[in-house]
Amino acid sequence: MNSKFFAGDARDVARALIGKLLVRADGRQARLVEVEAYLGGDDPGSHAYRGPTPRARVMFGPCGRLYVYFSYGVHWCANVVCGPEGTASAVLLRAAQPVAAVPAMRQARWHGQRQLRERDLCRGPGRLCEAFGITGADNGLDLTAPTGGLWLADDGAGPGGEVVVTPRVGLSRGADLLWRYVVAGSPWASVGSARPADLGT
DNA sequence: CCGCCGATCTTT
DNA sequence: AAGATCGGCGGG
């Protein structure tokens, strides 16, 4: 997908990303089922809330770039930068359904113990990064060109279900904002999401 | 299936 | 000191 896709509001980009493919040049592919939007100065849950710190610097740059950060001193998490250069926003890639080169993902996620279920390969932002071998070395990578070896693609399949919005996961500040987009009832999502029929009365 | 806890980097 | 997390462990 070209940079125009990522140029708008991160919430619109987030919704549009559900159902798209994350692709590695070696053949690994996974369909996004869960993402979250993060904005700039008005979003207390965002890394860009306090301005362009060294960590959040990439969020202020051109859209279509990969923003990778180290979480809890243990895991990598990947975002796609959105909006015009000079503004800060991004979409966190939270979970995906493995589609191709699944053995390669299994190998990347192998920790020397028991075999992982396919469901657990990309279910969560840290796991998704590990399955695709995404690390801090990939921070700033251009996702709109194949030159980086990692990109986003549209195969026309779509989300495969209804996309619902919920609060973002794991936040204390900005927890009231409904900026998480997830395929309703998807077993590939990091947190179970209720179907519309399960909501309400 | 659920809850608790530790790992240990970045920012406040 | 808390955080955009995860895996191992114990219990139901």
Side-chain angles (χ1 to χ4, degrees), chain A residues 34-38 94 164-171 174-182 190-193 199:
Chain A
E34 179 189 356
V35 301
E36 288 173 354
Y38 288 87
R94 283 198 57 89
V164 295
V165 295
T166 79
R168 295 174 293 185
V169 174
L171 298 194
D176 52 322
L177 301 169
L178 305 179
W179 289 352
R180 172 175 176 256
Y181 299 81
V182 56
S190 71
V191 179
S193 62
L199 295 171

mmCIF file with all atom_site columns, all heavy atoms in Angstrom, chain A residues 34-38 94 164-171 174-182 190-193 199:
data_model
loop_
_atom_site.group_PDB
_atom_site.id
_atom_site.type_symbol
_atom_site.label_atom_id
_atom_site.label_alt_id
_atom_site.label_comp_id
_atom_site.label_asym_id
_atom_site.label_entity_id
_atom_site.label_seq_id
_atom_site.pdbx_PDB_ins_code
_atom_site.Cartn_x
_atom_site.Cartn_y
_atom_site.Cartn_z
_atom_site.occupancy
_atom_site.B_iso_or_equiv
_atom_site.pdbx_formal_charge
_atom_site.auth_seq_id
_atom_site.auth_comp_id
_atom_site.auth_asym_id
_atom_site.auth_atom_id
_atom_site.pdbx_PDB_model_num
ATOM 1   N N   . GLU A 1 34  ? -6.586  -6.995  14.646 1.00 0.00 ? 34  GLU A N   1
ATOM 2   C CA  . GLU A 1 34  ? -6.704  -6.116  15.818 1.00 0.00 ? 34  GLU A CA  1
ATOM 3   C C   . GLU A 1 34  ? -5.618  -5.044  15.766 1.00 0.00 ? 34  GLU A C   1
ATOM 4   O O   . GLU A 1 34  ? -4.425  -5.370  15.693 1.00 0.00 ? 34  GLU A O   1
ATOM 5   C CB  . GLU A 1 34  ? -6.570  -6.943  17.105 1.00 0.00 ? 34  GLU A CB  1
ATOM 6   C CG  . GLU A 1 34  ? -6.654  -6.113  18.368 1.00 0.00 ? 34  GLU A CG  1
ATOM 7   C CD  . GLU A 1 34  ? -6.298  -6.929  19.616 1.00 0.00 ? 34  GLU A CD  1
ATOM 8   O OE1 . GLU A 1 34  ? -6.067  -8.148  19.497 1.00 0.00 ? 34  GLU A OE1 1
ATOM 9   O OE2 . GLU A 1 34  ? -6.251  -6.332  20.696 1.00 0.00 ? 34  GLU A OE2 1
ATOM 10  N N   . VAL A 1 35  ? -6.036  -3.776  15.805 1.00 0.00 ? 35  VAL A N   1
ATOM 11  C CA  . VAL A 1 35  ? -5.097  -2.650  15.826 1.00 0.00 ? 35  VAL A CA  1
ATOM 12  C C   . VAL A 1 35  ? -5.639  -1.563  16.748 1.00 0.00 ? 35  VAL A C   1
ATOM 13  O O   . VAL A 1 35  ? -6.814  -1.592  17.124 1.00 0.00 ? 35  VAL A O   1
ATOM 14  C CB  . VAL A 1 35  ? -4.880  -2.054  14.407 1.00 0.00 ? 35  VAL A CB  1
ATOM 15  C CG1 . VAL A 1 35  ? -4.340  -3.102  13.442 1.00 0.00 ? 35  VAL A CG1 1
ATOM 16  C CG2 . VAL A 1 35  ? -6.170  -1.446  13.881 1.00 0.00 ? 35  VAL A CG2 1
ATOM 17  N N   . GLU A 1 36  ? -4.772  -0.610  17.105 1.00 0.00 ? 36  GLU A N   1
ATOM 18  C CA  . GLU A 1 36  ? -5.195  0.525   17.926 1.00 0.00 ? 36  GLU A CA  1
ATOM 19  C C   . GLU A 1 36  ? -4.607  1.811   17.371 1.00 0.00 ? 36  GLU A C   1
ATOM 20  O O   . GLU A 1 36  ? -3.458  1.827   16.923 1.00 0.00 ? 36  GLU A O   1
ATOM 21  C CB  . GLU A 1 36  ? -4.730  0.350   19.382 1.00 0.00 ? 36  GLU A CB  1
ATOM 22  C CG  . GLU A 1 36  ? -5.488  -0.711  20.156 1.00 0.00 ? 36  GLU A CG  1
ATOM 23  C CD  . GLU A 1 36  ? -4.892  -0.981  21.528 1.00 0.00 ? 36  GLU A CD  1
ATOM 24  O OE1 . GLU A 1 36  ? -3.825  -0.434  21.846 1.00 0.00 ? 36  GLU A OE1 1
ATOM 25  O OE2 . GLU A 1 36  ? -5.506  -1.752  22.273 1.00 0.00 ? 36  GLU A OE2 1
ATOM 26  N N   . ALA A 1 37  ? -5.392  2.895   17.450 1.00 0.00 ? 37  ALA A N   1
ATOM 27  C CA  . ALA A 1 37  ? -4.920  4.206   16.999 1.00 0.00 ? 37  ALA A CA  1
ATOM 28  C C   . ALA A 1 37  ? -4.337  4.984   18.181 1.00 0.00 ? 37  ALA A C   1
ATOM 29  O O   . ALA A 1 37  ? -4.876  4.949   19.280 1.00 0.00 ? 37  ALA A O   1
ATOM 30  C CB  . ALA A 1 37  ? -6.068  4.989   16.370 1.00 0.00 ? 37  ALA A CB  1
ATOM 31  N N   . TYR A 1 38  ? -3.208  5.658   17.926 1.00 0.00 ? 38  TYR A N   1
ATOM 32  C CA  . TYR A 1 38  ? -2.586  6.554   18.909 1.00 0.00 ? 38  TYR A CA  1
ATOM 33  C C   . TYR A 1 38  ? -2.331  7.884   18.235 1.00 0.00 ? 38  TYR A C   1
ATOM 34  O O   . TYR A 1 38  ? -1.761  7.922   17.143 1.00 0.00 ? 38  TYR A O   1
ATOM 35  C CB  . TYR A 1 38  ? -1.295  5.943   19.455 1.00 0.00 ? 38  TYR A CB  1
ATOM 36  C CG  . TYR A 1 38  ? -1.564  4.787   20.389 1.00 0.00 ? 38  TYR A CG  1
ATOM 37  C CD1 . TYR A 1 38  ? -1.716  3.499   19.895 1.00 0.00 ? 38  TYR A CD1 1
ATOM 38  C CD2 . TYR A 1 38  ? -1.740  5.001   21.741 1.00 0.00 ? 38  TYR A CD2 1
ATOM 39  C CE1 . TYR A 1 38  ? -2.015  2.447   20.737 1.00 0.00 ? 38  TYR A CE1 1
ATOM 40  C CE2 . TYR A 1 38  ? -2.033  3.950   22.596 1.00 0.00 ? 38  TYR A CE2 1
ATOM 41  C CZ  . TYR A 1 38  ? -2.170  2.680   22.094 1.00 0.00 ? 38  TYR A CZ  1
ATOM 42  O OH  . TYR A 1 38  ? -2.485  1.648   22.935 1.00 0.00 ? 38  TYR A OH  1
ATOM 43  N N   . ARG A 1 94  ? -1.678  -5.107  16.743 1.00 0.00 ? 94  ARG A N   1
ATOM 44  C CA  . ARG A 1 94  ? -1.861  -5.910  17.963 1.00 0.00 ? 94  ARG A CA  1
ATOM 45  C C   . ARG A 1 94  ? -2.005  -7.409  17.737 1.00 0.00 ? 94  ARG A C   1
ATOM 46  O O   . ARG A 1 94  ? -1.595  -8.204  18.585 1.00 0.00 ? 94  ARG A O   1
ATOM 47  C CB  . ARG A 1 94  ? -3.061  -5.411  18.761 1.00 0.00 ? 94  ARG A CB  1
ATOM 48  C CG  . ARG A 1 94  ? -2.812  -4.135  19.546 1.00 0.00 ? 94  ARG A CG  1
ATOM 49  C CD  . ARG A 1 94  ? -3.877  -3.953  20.630 1.00 0.00 ? 94  ARG A CD  1
ATOM 50  N NE  . ARG A 1 94  ? -3.916  -5.093  21.526 1.00 0.00 ? 94  ARG A NE  1
ATOM 51  C CZ  . ARG A 1 94  ? -3.169  -5.203  22.634 1.00 0.00 ? 94  ARG A CZ  1
ATOM 52  N NH1 . ARG A 1 94  ? -2.380  -4.206  22.987 1.00 0.00 ? 94  ARG A NH1 1
ATOM 53  N NH2 . ARG A 1 94  ? -3.232  -6.272  23.379 1.00 0.00 ? 94  ARG A NH2 1
ATOM 54  N N   . VAL A 1 164 ? -15.419 -4.056  15.112 1.00 0.00 ? 164 VAL A N   1
ATOM 55  C CA  . VAL A 1 164 ? -16.011 -3.321  16.229 1.00 0.00 ? 164 VAL A CA  1
ATOM 56  C C   . VAL A 1 164 ? -14.939 -2.481  16.913 1.00 0.00 ? 164 VAL A C   1
ATOM 57  O O   . VAL A 1 164 ? -13.737 -2.746  16.775 1.00 0.00 ? 164 VAL A O   1
ATOM 58  C CB  . VAL A 1 164 ? -16.667 -4.275  17.251 1.00 0.00 ? 164 VAL A CB  1
ATOM 59  C CG1 . VAL A 1 164 ? -17.840 -5.004  16.615 1.00 0.00 ? 164 VAL A CG1 1
ATOM 60  C CG2 . VAL A 1 164 ? -15.662 -5.263  17.803 1.00 0.00 ? 164 VAL A CG2 1
ATOM 61  N N   . VAL A 1 165 ? -15.373 -1.449  17.628 1.00 0.00 ? 165 VAL A N   1
ATOM 62  C CA  . VAL A 1 165 ? -14.446 -0.573  18.355 1.00 0.00 ? 165 VAL A CA  1
ATOM 63  C C   . VAL A 1 165 ? -14.595 -0.787  19.851 1.00 0.00 ? 165 VAL A C   1
ATOM 64  O O   . VAL A 1 165 ? -15.699 -0.990  20.356 1.00 0.00 ? 165 VAL A O   1
ATOM 65  C CB  . VAL A 1 165 ? -14.671 0.913   17.998 1.00 0.00 ? 165 VAL A CB  1
ATOM 66  C CG1 . VAL A 1 165 ? -14.339 1.167   16.546 1.00 0.00 ? 165 VAL A CG1 1
ATOM 67  C CG2 . VAL A 1 165 ? -16.092 1.322   18.301 1.00 0.00 ? 165 VAL A CG2 1
ATOM 68  N N   . THR A 1 166 ? -13.473 -0.742  20.573 1.00 0.00 ? 166 THR A N   1
ATOM 69  C CA  . THR A 1 166 ? -13.464 -0.948  22.024 1.00 0.00 ? 166 THR A CA  1
ATOM 70  C C   . THR A 1 166 ? -12.407 -0.014  22.624 1.00 0.00 ? 166 THR A C   1
ATOM 71  O O   . THR A 1 166 ? -11.655 0.617   21.887 1.00 0.00 ? 166 THR A O   1
ATOM 72  C CB  . THR A 1 166 ? -13.090 -2.400  22.394 1.00 0.00 ? 166 THR A CB  1
ATOM 73  O OG1 . THR A 1 166 ? -11.670 -2.556  22.292 1.00 0.00 ? 166 THR A OG1 1
ATOM 74  C CG2 . THR A 1 166 ? -13.790 -3.407  21.476 1.00 0.00 ? 166 THR A CG2 1
ATOM 75  N N   . PRO A 1 167 ? -12.334 0.058   23.945 1.00 0.00 ? 167 PRO A N   1
ATOM 76  C CA  . PRO A 1 167 ? -11.208 0.780   24.554 1.00 0.00 ? 167 PRO A CA  1
ATOM 77  C C   . PRO A 1 167 ? -9.896  0.072   24.230 1.00 0.00 ? 167 PRO A C   1
ATOM 78  O O   . PRO A 1 167 ? -9.875  -1.131  23.998 1.00 0.00 ? 167 PRO A O   1
ATOM 79  C CB  . PRO A 1 167 ? -11.505 0.700   26.053 1.00 0.00 ? 167 PRO A CB  1
ATOM 80  C CG  . PRO A 1 167 ? -12.965 0.429   26.152 1.00 0.00 ? 167 PRO A CG  1
ATOM 81  C CD  . PRO A 1 167 ? -13.299 -0.405  24.950 1.00 0.00 ? 167 PRO A CD  1
ATOM 82  N N   . ARG A 1 168 ? -8.802  0.834   24.253 1.00 0.00 ? 168 ARG A N   1
ATOM 83  C CA  . ARG A 1 168 ? -7.489  0.254   23.997 1.00 0.00 ? 168 ARG A CA  1
ATOM 84  C C   . ARG A 1 168 ? -7.046  -0.593  25.190 1.00 0.00 ? 168 ARG A C   1
ATOM 85  O O   . ARG A 1 168 ? -7.487  -0.384  26.314 1.00 0.00 ? 168 ARG A O   1
ATOM 86  C CB  . ARG A 1 168 ? -6.487  1.371   23.694 1.00 0.00 ? 168 ARG A CB  1
ATOM 87  C CG  . ARG A 1 168 ? -6.816  2.106   22.400 1.00 0.00 ? 168 ARG A CG  1
ATOM 88  C CD  . ARG A 1 168 ? -5.919  3.300   22.174 1.00 0.00 ? 168 ARG A CD  1
ATOM 89  N NE  . ARG A 1 168 ? -6.131  4.351   23.157 1.00 0.00 ? 168 ARG A NE  1
ATOM 90  C CZ  . ARG A 1 168 ? -5.526  5.537   23.113 1.00 0.00 ? 168 ARG A CZ  1
ATOM 91  N NH1 . ARG A 1 168 ? -4.678  5.805   22.140 1.00 0.00 ? 168 ARG A NH1 1
ATOM 92  N NH2 . ARG A 1 168 ? -5.772  6.437   24.038 1.00 0.00 ? 168 ARG A NH2 1
ATOM 93  N N   . VAL A 1 169 ? -6.174  -1.550  24.915 1.00 0.00 ? 169 VAL A N   1
ATOM 94  C CA  . VAL A 1 169 ? -5.771  -2.539  25.914 1.00 0.00 ? 169 VAL A CA  1
ATOM 95  C C   . VAL A 1 169 ? -4.571  -2.056  26.724 1.00 0.00 ? 169 VAL A C   1
ATOM 96  O O   . VAL A 1 169 ? -3.612  -1.515  26.165 1.00 0.00 ? 169 VAL A O   1
ATOM 97  C CB  . VAL A 1 169 ? -5.417  -3.873  25.223 1.00 0.00 ? 169 VAL A CB  1
ATOM 98  C CG1 . VAL A 1 169 ? -4.858  -4.879  26.226 1.00 0.00 ? 169 VAL A CG1 1
ATOM 99  C CG2 . VAL A 1 169 ? -6.631  -4.445  24.511 1.00 0.00 ? 169 VAL A CG2 1
ATOM 100 N N   . GLY A 1 170 ? -4.631  -2.252  28.036 1.00 0.00 ? 170 GLY A N   1
ATOM 101 C CA  . GLY A 1 170 ? -3.452  -2.046  28.873 1.00 0.00 ? 170 GLY A CA  1
ATOM 102 C C   . GLY A 1 170 ? -3.145  -0.615  29.238 1.00 0.00 ? 170 GLY A C   1
ATOM 103 O O   . GLY A 1 170 ? -2.063  -0.334  29.732 1.00 0.00 ? 170 GLY A O   1
ATOM 104 N N   . LEU A 1 171 ? -4.067  0.302   28.997 1.00 0.00 ? 171 LEU A N   1
ATOM 105 C CA  . LEU A 1 171 ? -3.811  1.717   29.294 1.00 0.00 ? 171 LEU A CA  1
ATOM 106 C C   . LEU A 1 171 ? -4.536  2.141   30.562 1.00 0.00 ? 171 LEU A C   1
ATOM 107 O O   . LEU A 1 171 ? -5.635  1.683   30.851 1.00 0.00 ? 171 LEU A O   1
ATOM 108 C CB  . LEU A 1 171 ? -4.314  2.597   28.147 1.00 0.00 ? 171 LEU A CB  1
ATOM 109 C CG  . LEU A 1 171 ? -3.701  2.436   26.780 1.00 0.00 ? 171 LEU A CG  1
ATOM 110 C CD1 . LEU A 1 171 ? -4.101  3.606   25.903 1.00 0.00 ? 171 LEU A CD1 1
ATOM 111 C CD2 . LEU A 1 171 ? -2.211  2.335   26.862 1.00 0.00 ? 171 LEU A CD2 1
ATOM 112 N N   . GLY A 1 174 ? -6.198  7.628   29.035 1.00 0.00 ? 174 GLY A N   1
ATOM 113 C CA  . GLY A 1 174 ? -6.805  7.517   27.708 1.00 0.00 ? 174 GLY A CA  1
ATOM 114 C C   . GLY A 1 174 ? -7.592  6.235   27.557 1.00 0.00 ? 174 GLY A C   1
ATOM 115 O O   . GLY A 1 174 ? -7.915  5.809   26.457 1.00 0.00 ? 174 GLY A O   1
ATOM 116 N N   . ALA A 1 175 ? -7.932  5.604   28.710 1.00 0.00 ? 175 ALA A N   1
ATOM 117 C CA  . ALA A 1 175 ? -8.625  4.313   28.684 1.00 0.00 ? 175 ALA A CA  1
ATOM 118 C C   . ALA A 1 175 ? -10.079 4.435   28.240 1.00 0.00 ? 175 ALA A C   1
ATOM 119 O O   . ALA A 1 175 ? -10.712 3.437   27.921 1.00 0.00 ? 175 ALA A O   1
ATOM 120 C CB  . ALA A 1 175 ? -8.541  3.650   30.057 1.00 0.00 ? 175 ALA A CB  1
ATOM 121 N N   . ASP A 1 176 ? -10.583 5.659   28.229 1.00 0.00 ? 176 ASP A N   1
ATOM 122 C CA  . ASP A 1 176 ? -11.989 5.857   27.864 1.00 0.00 ? 176 ASP A CA  1
ATOM 123 C C   . ASP A 1 176 ? -12.182 5.977   26.354 1.00 0.00 ? 176 ASP A C   1
ATOM 124 O O   . ASP A 1 176 ? -13.305 5.894   25.860 1.00 0.00 ? 176 ASP A O   1
ATOM 125 C CB  . ASP A 1 176 ? -12.518 7.124   28.548 1.00 0.00 ? 176 ASP A CB  1
ATOM 126 C CG  . ASP A 1 176 ? -11.610 8.321   28.285 1.00 0.00 ? 176 ASP A CG  1
ATOM 127 O OD1 . ASP A 1 176 ? -10.379 8.140   28.268 1.00 0.00 ? 176 ASP A OD1 1
ATOM 128 O OD2 . ASP A 1 176 ? -12.132 9.433   28.084 1.00 0.00 ? 176 ASP A OD2 1
ATOM 129 N N   . LEU A 1 177 ? -11.097 6.167   25.634 1.00 0.00 ? 177 LEU A N   1
ATOM 130 C CA  . LEU A 1 177 ? -11.198 6.380   24.193 1.00 0.00 ? 177 LEU A CA  1
ATOM 131 C C   . LEU A 1 177 ? -11.379 5.052   23.457 1.00 0.00 ? 177 LEU A C   1
ATOM 132 O O   . LEU A 1 177 ? -10.653 4.095   23.695 1.00 0.00 ? 177 LEU A O   1
ATOM 133 C CB  . LEU A 1 177 ? -9.939  7.084   23.684 1.00 0.00 ? 177 LEU A CB  1
ATOM 134 C CG  . LEU A 1 177 ? -9.682  8.443   24.349 1.00 0.00 ? 177 LEU A CG  1
ATOM 135 C CD1 . LEU A 1 177 ? -8.292  8.957   23.994 1.00 0.00 ? 177 LEU A CD1 1
ATOM 136 C CD2 . LEU A 1 177 ? -10.750 9.433   23.943 1.00 0.00 ? 177 LEU A CD2 1
ATOM 137 N N   . LEU A 1 178 ? -12.367 5.020   22.542 1.00 0.00 ? 178 LEU A N   1
ATOM 138 C CA  . LEU A 1 178 ? -12.679 3.784   21.817 1.00 0.00 ? 178 LEU A CA  1
ATOM 139 C C   . LEU A 1 178 ? -11.877 3.739   20.521 1.00 0.00 ? 178 LEU A C   1
ATOM 140 O O   . LEU A 1 178 ? -12.412 3.896   19.434 1.00 0.00 ? 178 LEU A O   1
ATOM 141 C CB  . LEU A 1 178 ? -14.178 3.705   21.529 1.00 0.00 ? 178 LEU A CB  1
ATOM 142 C CG  . LEU A 1 178 ? -15.081 3.825   22.758 1.00 0.00 ? 178 LEU A CG  1
ATOM 143 C CD1 . LEU A 1 178 ? -16.549 3.749   22.357 1.00 0.00 ? 178 LEU A CD1 1
ATOM 144 C CD2 . LEU A 1 178 ? -14.752 2.726   23.764 1.00 0.00 ? 178 LEU A CD2 1
ATOM 145 N N   . TRP A 1 179 ? -10.582 3.489   20.651 1.00 0.00 ? 179 TRP A N   1
ATOM 146 C CA  . TRP A 1 179 ? -9.687  3.540   19.496 1.00 0.00 ? 179 TRP A CA  1
ATOM 147 C C   . TRP A 1 179 ? -9.035  2.199   19.191 1.00 0.00 ? 179 TRP A C   1
ATOM 148 O O   . TRP A 1 179 ? -7.999  2.122   18.567 1.00 0.00 ? 179 TRP A O   1
ATOM 149 C CB  . TRP A 1 179 ? -8.633  4.627   19.715 1.00 0.00 ? 179 TRP A CB  1
ATOM 150 C CG  . TRP A 1 179 ? -9.224  6.020   19.633 1.00 0.00 ? 179 TRP A CG  1
ATOM 151 C CD1 . TRP A 1 179 ? -10.496 6.365   19.242 1.00 0.00 ? 179 TRP A CD1 1
ATOM 152 C CD2 . TRP A 1 179 ? -8.557  7.248   19.933 1.00 0.00 ? 179 TRP A CD2 1
ATOM 153 N NE1 . TRP A 1 179 ? -10.664 7.726   19.294 1.00 0.00 ? 179 TRP A NE1 1
ATOM 154 C CE2 . TRP A 1 179 ? -9.483  8.295   19.711 1.00 0.00 ? 179 TRP A CE2 1
ATOM 155 C CE3 . TRP A 1 179 ? -7.268  7.568   20.366 1.00 0.00 ? 179 TRP A CE3 1
ATOM 156 C CZ2 . TRP A 1 179 ? -9.154  9.638   19.905 1.00 0.00 ? 179 TRP A CZ2 1
ATOM 157 C CZ3 . TRP A 1 179 ? -6.937  8.905   20.558 1.00 0.00 ? 179 TRP A CZ3 1
ATOM 158 C CH2 . TRP A 1 179 ? -7.880  9.921   20.324 1.00 0.00 ? 179 TRP A CH2 1
ATOM 159 N N   . ARG A 1 180 ? -9.632  1.117   19.683 1.00 0.00 ? 180 ARG A N   1
ATOM 160 C CA  . ARG A 1 180 ? -9.178  -0.230  19.313 1.00 0.00 ? 180 ARG A CA  1
ATOM 161 C C   . ARG A 1 180 ? -10.162 -0.792  18.287 1.00 0.00 ? 180 ARG A C   1
ATOM 162 O O   . ARG A 1 180 ? -11.376 -0.722  18.489 1.00 0.00 ? 180 ARG A O   1
ATOM 163 C CB  . ARG A 1 180 ? -9.121  -1.134  20.542 1.00 0.00 ? 180 ARG A CB  1
ATOM 164 C CG  . ARG A 1 180 ? -8.849  -2.611  20.243 1.00 0.00 ? 180 ARG A CG  1
ATOM 165 C CD  . ARG A 1 180 ? -8.690  -3.393  21.533 1.00 0.00 ? 180 ARG A CD  1
ATOM 166 N NE  . ARG A 1 180 ? -8.527  -4.821  21.348 1.00 0.00 ? 180 ARG A NE  1
ATOM 167 C CZ  . ARG A 1 180 ? -9.485  -5.717  21.562 1.00 0.00 ? 180 ARG A CZ  1
ATOM 168 N NH1 . ARG A 1 180 ? -10.689 -5.347  21.935 1.00 0.00 ? 180 ARG A NH1 1
ATOM 169 N NH2 . ARG A 1 180 ? -9.248  -6.997  21.384 1.00 0.00 ? 180 ARG A NH2 1
ATOM 170 N N   . TYR A 1 181 ? -9.622  -1.342  17.220 1.00 0.00 ? 181 TYR A N   1
ATOM 171 C CA  . TYR A 1 181 ? -10.435 -1.899  16.143 1.00 0.00 ? 181 TYR A CA  1
ATOM 172 C C   . TYR A 1 181 ? -10.126 -3.381  16.048 1.00 0.00 ? 181 TYR A C   1
ATOM 173 O O   . TYR A 1 181 ? -8.963  -3.781  15.935 1.00 0.00 ? 181 TYR A O   1
ATOM 174 C CB  . TYR A 1 181 ? -10.130 -1.187  14.821 1.00 0.00 ? 181 TYR A CB  1
ATOM 175 C CG  . TYR A 1 181 ? -10.446 0.289   14.888 1.00 0.00 ? 181 TYR A CG  1
ATOM 176 C CD1 . TYR A 1 181 ? -9.539  1.180   15.480 1.00 0.00 ? 181 TYR A CD1 1
ATOM 177 C CD2 . TYR A 1 181 ? -11.651 0.797   14.419 1.00 0.00 ? 181 TYR A CD2 1
ATOM 178 C CE1 . TYR A 1 181 ? -9.838  2.541   15.586 1.00 0.00 ? 181 TYR A CE1 1
ATOM 179 C CE2 . TYR A 1 181 ? -11.958 2.144   14.517 1.00 0.00 ? 181 TYR A CE2 1
ATOM 180 C CZ  . TYR A 1 181 ? -11.042 3.012   15.103 1.00 0.00 ? 181 TYR A CZ  1
ATOM 181 O OH  . TYR A 1 181 ? -11.342 4.339   15.214 1.00 0.00 ? 181 TYR A OH  1
ATOM 182 N N   . VAL A 1 182 ? -11.172 -4.206  16.103 1.00 0.00 ? 182 VAL A N   1
ATOM 183 C CA  . VAL A 1 182 ? -10.963 -5.650  16.159 1.00 0.00 ? 182 VAL A CA  1
ATOM 184 C C   . VAL A 1 182 ? -12.099 -6.367  15.433 1.00 0.00 ? 182 VAL A C   1
ATOM 185 O O   . VAL A 1 182 ? -13.244 -5.906  15.452 1.00 0.00 ? 182 VAL A O   1
ATOM 186 C CB  . VAL A 1 182 ? -10.860 -6.114  17.632 1.00 0.00 ? 182 VAL A CB  1
ATOM 187 C CG1 . VAL A 1 182 ? -12.077 -5.701  18.413 1.00 0.00 ? 182 VAL A CG1 1
ATOM 188 C CG2 . VAL A 1 182 ? -10.616 -7.608  17.732 1.00 0.00 ? 182 VAL A CG2 1
ATOM 189 N N   . SER A 1 190 ? -6.026  -10.589 20.412 1.00 0.00 ? 190 SER A N   1
ATOM 190 C CA  . SER A 1 190 ? -5.313  -10.783 21.676 1.00 0.00 ? 190 SER A CA  1
ATOM 191 C C   . SER A 1 190 ? -6.255  -10.848 22.867 1.00 0.00 ? 190 SER A C   1
ATOM 192 O O   . SER A 1 190 ? -5.952  -11.464 23.878 1.00 0.00 ? 190 SER A O   1
ATOM 193 C CB  . SER A 1 190 ? -4.307  -9.655  21.893 1.00 0.00 ? 190 SER A CB  1
ATOM 194 O OG  . SER A 1 190 ? -4.969  -8.444  22.183 1.00 0.00 ? 190 SER A OG  1
ATOM 195 N N   . VAL A 1 191 ? -7.403  -10.197 22.749 1.00 0.00 ? 191 VAL A N   1
ATOM 196 C CA  . VAL A 1 191 ? -8.393  -10.206 23.810 1.00 0.00 ? 191 VAL A CA  1
ATOM 197 C C   . VAL A 1 191 ? -9.728  -10.561 23.178 1.00 0.00 ? 191 VAL A C   1
ATOM 198 O O   . VAL A 1 191 ? -10.069 -10.055 22.112 1.00 0.00 ? 191 VAL A O   1
ATOM 199 C CB  . VAL A 1 191 ? -8.504  -8.824  24.492 1.00 0.00 ? 191 VAL A CB  1
ATOM 200 C CG1 . VAL A 1 191 ? -9.565  -8.868  25.583 1.00 0.00 ? 191 VAL A CG1 1
ATOM 201 C CG2 . VAL A 1 191 ? -7.165  -8.415  25.045 1.00 0.00 ? 191 VAL A CG2 1
ATOM 202 N N   . GLY A 1 192 ? -10.460 -11.420 23.803 1.00 0.00 ? 192 GLY A N   1
ATOM 203 C CA  . GLY A 1 192 ? -11.758 -11.798 23.265 1.00 0.00 ? 192 GLY A CA  1
ATOM 204 C C   . GLY A 1 192 ? -12.655 -10.594 23.091 1.00 0.00 ? 192 GLY A C   1
ATOM 205 O O   . GLY A 1 192 ? -12.753 -9.768  23.983 1.00 0.00 ? 192 GLY A O   1
ATOM 206 N N   . SER A 1 193 ? -13.268 -10.459 21.945 1.00 0.00 ? 193 SER A N   1
ATOM 207 C CA  . SER A 1 193 ? -14.187 -9.348  21.705 1.00 0.00 ? 193 SER A CA  1
ATOM 208 C C   . SER A 1 193 ? -15.592 -9.899  21.531 1.00 0.00 ? 193 SER A C   1
ATOM 209 O O   . SER A 1 193 ? -15.815 -10.873 20.833 1.00 0.00 ? 193 SER A O   1
ATOM 210 C CB  . SER A 1 193 ? -13.778 -8.595  20.449 1.00 0.00 ? 193 SER A CB  1
ATOM 211 O OG  . SER A 1 193 ? -13.848 -9.449  19.334 1.00 0.00 ? 193 SER A OG  1
ATOM 212 N N   . LEU A 1 199 ? -23.606 -8.083  23.176 1.00 0.00 ? 199 LEU A N   1
ATOM 213 C CA  . LEU A 1 199 ? -23.532 -6.804  23.865 1.00 0.00 ? 199 LEU A CA  1
ATOM 214 C C   . LEU A 1 199 ? -24.913 -6.357  24.331 1.00 0.00 ? 199 LEU A C   1
ATOM 215 O O   . LEU A 1 199 ? -25.932 -6.889  23.920 1.00 0.00 ? 199 LEU A O   1
ATOM 216 C CB  . LEU A 1 199 ? -22.941 -5.742  22.939 1.00 0.00 ? 199 LEU A CB  1
ATOM 217 C CG  . LEU A 1 199 ? -21.487 -5.974  22.530 1.00 0.00 ? 199 LEU A CG  1
ATOM 218 C CD1 . LEU A 1 199 ? -21.090 -4.979  21.454 1.00 0.00 ? 199 LEU A CD1 1
ATOM 219 C CD2 . LEU A 1 199 ? -20.579 -5.859  23.734 1.00 0.00 ? 199 LEU A CD2 1
#
